[in-house]
Amino acid sequence: MEIRNFNSAFNEVTNYVNILPFLYRYENQNHIDKFFETGDIYISSFHNYKKYEDNELGDKNEGGSMDFGKTDDGKSIFAYSTVGKNDYSFCTSTVLDKALLTKFSRDSVFRIIDPINFMLQIKRSLLRVQQVIHGNCIYVNNRILTRNLPGVTIDSMSNEEGSVPFDKLYALTSLATGFDSYFLKEKKYQYQSEYRILWQTDRIVEEGIVINCPEARQYCEKIEKTELED
């Protein structure tokens, strides 16, 4: 459970309470058994997802999006961004559905009953993590994102020759790229109801990693076969 405080116009504090759903990790039984017995668990990466031939499990365009930014003076900028290069990733679903076992080519599933503490324990077993990002995937027809850039004008960033210096242009295109870029998926996969957890590091992450994190087990539970019966 995540709680944030917001100050109103009358200086009153209002709690904002975010209740995360149970998360379901579809995996083969031998790997689930090993996790609950030893604490060993596999954490993947965006780089790995791009290598899968099966788009149910991966995506060759993972992390890529076309980003448009609209400035206050009516100008538009666009950039193709690629995110996730520095991230470890763990994909789950918010639904328990027997059909997903077939879709994901897996024979079992376990439940994460306390997602926040689960991801924090995993963080402690990974190196050089700077930030944890998590949320539902955003299902779209195309990977195009448009956002306003309030307070930004092209004219104010231009030099005397009327052009925008590269460093300012780079900073401007970075403003057009948001965290939502990490969660884009094609709409045809919406039935997966994917919830993604990312551990962002300060270096390139090319491969997944098996970590030993027995502390994470207390926030998970096995699922009986009867729960998956029709």
Side-chain angles (χ1 to χ4, degrees):
M1 180 175 68
E2 179 183 11
I3 300 178
R4 296 183 182 180
N5 293 329
F6 291 92
N7 291 320
S8 72
F10 303 100
N11 292 322
E12 295 177 351
V13 176
T14 302
N15 287 335
Y16 174 84
V17 182
N18 180 22
I19 306 298
L20 269 65
F22 288 154
L23 302 180
Y24 298 93
R25 173 67 175 185
Y26 290 81
E27 189 55 86
N28 287 331
Q29 188 66 58
N30 60 319
H31 295 303
I32 293 177
D33 289 341
K34 190 168 186 180
F35 170 56
F36 281 96
E37 290 168 6
T38 69
D40 284 357
I41 189 170
Y42 179 73
I43 309 297
S44 194
S45 67
F46 273 38
H47 180 76
N48 272 356
Y49 297 153
K50 294 180 180 181
K51 296 190 294 185
Y52 281 113
E53 296 296 329
D54 181 1
N55 280 341
E56 294 287 351
L57 298 174
D59 186 344
K60 293 188 182 301
N61 297 312
E62 191 71 78
S65 65
M66 183 65 72
D67 303 321
F68 287 83
K70 296 181 178 180
T71 64
D72 278 354
D73 52 355
K75 303 294 195 307
S76 295
I77 63 166
F78 69 92
Y80 183 83
S81 64
T82 301
V83 299
K85 293 181 179 179
N86 292 8
D87 295 64
Y88 287 108
S89 179
F90 194 73
C91 294
T92 66
S93 175
T94 61
V95 297
L96 179 62
D97 187 346
K98 183 179 179 180
L100 288 180
L101 292 174
T102 302
K103 290 291 187 180
F104 294 143
S105 301
R106 299 292 186 260
D107 61 22
S108 195
V109 57
F110 71 88
R111 180 187 289 114
I112 303 172
I113 57 177
D114 187 342
I116 292 293
N117 278 309
F118 172 83
M119 64 183 74
L120 291 178
Q121 288 296 341
I122 297 295
K123 171 191 173 294
R124 294 188 176 104
S125 296
L126 293 170
L127 298 176
R128 304 169 72 168
V129 174
Q130 296 184 313
Q131 186 168 231
V132 181
I133 311 168
H134 60 95
N136 295 92
C137 279
I138 304 167
Y139 294 93
V140 293
N141 291 321
N142 51 58
R143 295 172 184 269
I144 299 176
L145 294 171
T146 302
R147 56 175 51 83
N148 293 321
L149 304 177
V152 176
T153 64
I154 296 295
D155 293 340
S156 65
M157 301 183 72
S158 301
N159 56 26
E160 294 180 356
E161 288 74 31
S163 60
V164 180
F166 178 79
D167 59 335
K168 291 185 178 181
L169 183 62
Y170 180 79
L172 192 59
T173 56
S174 296
L175 289 176
T177 303
F179 285 122
D180 41 7
S181 298
Y182 291 84
F183 297 90
L184 296 182
K185 291 199 73 172
E186 292 182 45
K187 199 168 186 177
K188 63 182 178 180
Y189 298 115
Q190 191 166 355
Y191 63 86
Q192 295 179 353
S193 189
E194 182 179 332
Y195 194 98
R196 185 171 290 178
I197 304 171
L198 305 174
W199 294 271
Q200 196 166 74
T201 75
D202 61 356
R203 62 185 179 88
I204 299 295
V205 176
E206 293 189 348
E207 302 295 337
I209 184 174
V210 175
I211 63 171
N212 182 255
C213 187
E215 297 83 3
R217 296 176 296 179
Q218 63 186 303
Y219 305 114
C220 306
E221 63 184 14
K222 288 187 176 183
I223 290 177
E224 300 297 331
K225 297 295 184 183
T226 54
E227 290 194 59
L228 290 167
E229 293 177 354
D230 296 329

